[in-house]
Amino acid sequence: MKMVSTTARIAAYAGLALALCMGARPASAQADYPSHKVRVIAPQGAGGGVDVVGRLLMEQLSRRLGQSFYIENQGGAGGVIGASDTARAAPDGYTLMIAYVATHGTNPAVRKTPYDAVKSFTPIAMIGGTANMLLVDPRLGVKTLKDFVAYAKQNPDKLSYGTSGNGTLNHLAMEEFKHAAGFSDLSVPYKSMSEALTDVIGGRVQTVFPGVAAGLPTVRSGRVTPLAVTGEKRQAVLPDVPTFQELGYPSMQALTWYGVVGPARMPQAVTDKLNATINDILKSPDFQQKLEQLGIEAMPMSPPQFGDYIAKEVRTWTQVAHDSNISID
């Protein structure tokens, strides 16, 4: 009997050790989560969209769960540095990350990343997204998307478009539209979208594809003409601008989106608790209003739904990058 008992005890210890190695925590620790402060990596510099959205959400999460969820900015390589650090962290719920379309969509499509956007992370919760919009220089004289496509086909050597860099969402979204509409033009990469917008206003490039929040000030000033927005519905801040879908381009669904992920193999109980709390925050009218001020619509999802969304994003942008022969490695 002693031998059986000892063997059983050894097996139990081995099982516990294996569970800990796989990222599990004792049930009591999971029930008490979080018992101390939580690091939340923002894979972008301070002041960027990822940082702003992350701080808004973490302030509410800290209040609701009674522990500090603090933002740690890790900019560089389009989010690759912060994402890699997150993927390597202990999967105990005390290192999370604000994922976004670059880290879990466009970057894996155009470069070799040291992480797998699907397998290296635990999807926790979607926060929300903002549509992108096609803007043109008013001096082109086009007022509709149909007119723009016709102009582009008739004047293939007279069009260029600005991007915030090779392989970024606005670059890939424009390439997707070019393929769908059947025209070609020249991409001009800039260091930021603000620089690209400045050159559209100055007439040095003729079109640009920014997020709604980034492009809205220039639209309101009348210095650019908006032709269409991505997504399934019109934007409340631009009610007269149709969607690409309305105009016959259903594939044009590009969103600048934000969500919360952790390292792979996080405890299910921790993941579920975070998801339920975040989704409850997203239902708050006050929080929704704060997101809307940034041009972002709340998009609550379950962890499996968010995981499926990420996988679809990677597939979509990988196909676009392949079709356009875009790679930054």
Side-chain angles (χ1 to χ4, degrees):
M1 294 296 292
K2 284 186 178 182
M3 183 176 295
V4 173
S5 176
T6 300
T7 302
R9 191 180 302 116
I10 292 172
Y13 289 155
L16 178 60
L18 179 60
L20 291 173
C21 288
M22 293 297 288
R25 289 170 59 86
S28 60
Q30 293 178 25
D32 293 340
Y33 175 86
S35 61
H36 57 84
K37 62 184 180 180
V38 178
R39 178 176 70 142
V40 183
I41 293 173
Q44 194 181 69
V50 175
D51 178 65
V52 172
V53 172
R55 289 181 189 278
L56 278 177
L57 181 63
M58 292 311 127
E59 178 185 8
Q60 293 298 316
L61 206 54
S62 297
R63 290 179 181 178
R64 302 220 180 186
L65 295 183
Q67 291 289 346
S68 172
F69 285 74
Y70 68 96
I71 293 290
E72 179 182 293
N73 295 98
Q74 290 191 19
V80 171
I81 293 175
S84 299
D85 190 10
T86 304
R88 293 191 299 265
D92 54 8
Y94 289 91
T95 296
L96 307 176
M97 187 183 86
I98 306 299
Y100 71 118
V101 66
T103 57
H104 285 69
T106 57
N107 273 344
V110 299
R111 65 169 76 184
K112 293 180 180 178
T113 58
Y115 60 85
D116 185 300
V118 175
K119 297 178 181 179
S120 300
F121 300 90
T122 298
I124 296 172
M126 169 65 96
I127 300 171
T130 182
N132 285 62
M133 58 181 171
L134 181 64
L135 306 179
V136 299
D137 182 347
R139 286 163 288 201
L140 282 183
V142 300
K143 301 294 185 181
T144 67
L145 190 66
K146 182 178 179 180
D147 290 343
F148 174 74
V149 172
Y151 180 92
K153 290 180 177 179
Q154 293 167 10
N155 300 275
D157 300 325
K158 294 184 179 180
L159 276 181
S160 58
Y161 71 95
T163 75
S164 58
N166 287 326
T168 56
L169 177 65
N170 51 80
H171 181 200
L172 294 178
M174 188 66 179
E175 290 296 313
E176 182 180 31
F177 178 53
K178 285 166 53 180
H179 284 291
F183 69 90
S184 61
D185 61 3
L186 176 66
S187 163
V188 181
Y190 291 83
K191 292 181 179 179
S192 68
M193 180 49 65
S194 62
E195 291 182 2
L197 282 165
T198 296
D199 272 10
V200 172
I201 294 168
R204 286 175 283 277
V205 294
Q206 291 70 49
T207 184
V208 71
F209 213 133
V212 168
L216 194 58
T218 54
V219 172
R220 286 175 170 166
S221 70
R223 292 177 291 176
V224 293
T225 301
L227 299 182
V229 296
T230 60
E232 297 182 352
K233 63 182 181 180
R234 296 192 183 197
Q235 296 294 298
V237 291
L238 295 167
D240 296 328
V241 180
T243 66
F244 281 93
Q245 185 167 299
E246 289 177 64
L247 300 175
Y249 299 95
S251 67
M252 297 297 294
Q253 300 294 327
L255 294 179
T256 299
W257 58 264
Y258 308 91
V260 181
V261 300
R265 299 184 300 276
M266 276 178 52
Q268 191 65 50
V270 172
T271 299
D272 290 344
K273 185 172 186 177
L274 286 169
N275 178 265
T277 307
I278 291 171
N279 283 349
D280 193 50
I281 292 169
L282 294 179
K283 293 177 184 177
S284 162
D286 179 63
F287 191 79
Q288 288 180 3
Q289 184 178 28
K290 289 178 180 179
L291 288 182
E292 288 169 2
Q293 290 172 351
L294 299 172
I296 298 170
E297 180 181 359
M299 298 169 59
M301 297 181 186
S302 68
Q305 288 172 332
F306 185 33
D308 289 344
Y309 186 92
I310 290 172
K312 183 179 178 181
E313 283 286 276
V314 174
R315 290 195 302 269
T316 295
W317 298 121
T318 297
Q319 186 63 54
V320 171
H322 178 269
D323 292 344
S324 300
N325 196 29
I326 297 172
S327 175
I328 58 176
D329 284 326

